Amino acid sequence: MKKIEAIIKPLKLSDVKEALHEINLTGMTIIDVKGFGRQRGQEGLELNHDYSDEFHAKIKIEIIVENAIAETVIKSIKNAAYSGKIGDGKIFVSDIEQVIRIRTGEKNSSAI
């Protein structure tokens, strides 16, 4: 199983959600986050610039999926979140060792 974490622009959340519904993804977690990347959210780096408000609002999406559909999910997020401008975001993929549904005790694929 894979954990896919995507940091995207808030305005792209609806597009990403729709793209994931189109591939029959059944669940995700959404978290409001703040951050900045290489250019601190600015159009370009300038010397002696005040970065007191360098943290920009973003959305973090977390999804656990079977290995077989991970690339499809990644491609859907990438295409839906893309604007071609600075700050489109990042996608992180990591392995998940085990998933347990608290209510039923189901494990792994059954728990997703």
Side-chain angles (χ1 to χ4, degrees):
M1 289 174 289
K2 299 290 185 191
K3 179 179 185 179
I4 300 170
E5 298 173 274
I7 308 294
I8 64 169
K9 293 178 178 180
L11 293 173
K12 290 293 190 172
L13 177 59
S14 183
D15 294 341
V16 171
K17 183 182 80 170
E18 288 303 314
L20 293 173
H21 283 306
E22 287 177 12
I23 61 169
N24 297 316
L25 189 79
T26 58
M28 68 183 86
T29 300
I30 307 299
I31 305 163
D32 289 317
V33 296
K34 288 186 173 190
F36 64 86
R38 287 185 201 151
Q39 293 183 303
R40 298 187 179 193
Q42 306 298 315
E43 290 297 320
L45 289 174
E46 297 177 20
L47 295 177
N48 301 321
H49 191 276
D50 179 15
Y51 287 111
S52 60
D53 63 345
E54 64 192 19
F55 295 100
H56 294 274
K58 299 286 183 178
I59 297 291
K60 181 178 181 182
I61 300 170
E62 295 184 353
I63 305 166
I64 308 297
V65 297
E66 290 290 336
N67 290 343
I69 66 165
E71 284 303 318
T72 302
V73 171
I74 293 164
K75 192 177 292 185
S76 293
I77 293 170
K78 184 178 173 213
N79 291 340
Y82 178 82
S83 74
K85 298 179 182 172
I86 291 171
D88 273 352
K90 293 203 171 47
I91 299 172
F92 305 96
V93 181
S94 54
D95 291 321
I96 294 296
E97 188 174 315
Q98 188 175 34
V99 176
I100 302 167
R101 184 182 310 269
I102 294 172
R103 181 178 55 86
T104 63
E106 293 170 288
K107 293 185 177 182
N108 301 323
S109 296
S110 300
I112 300 176

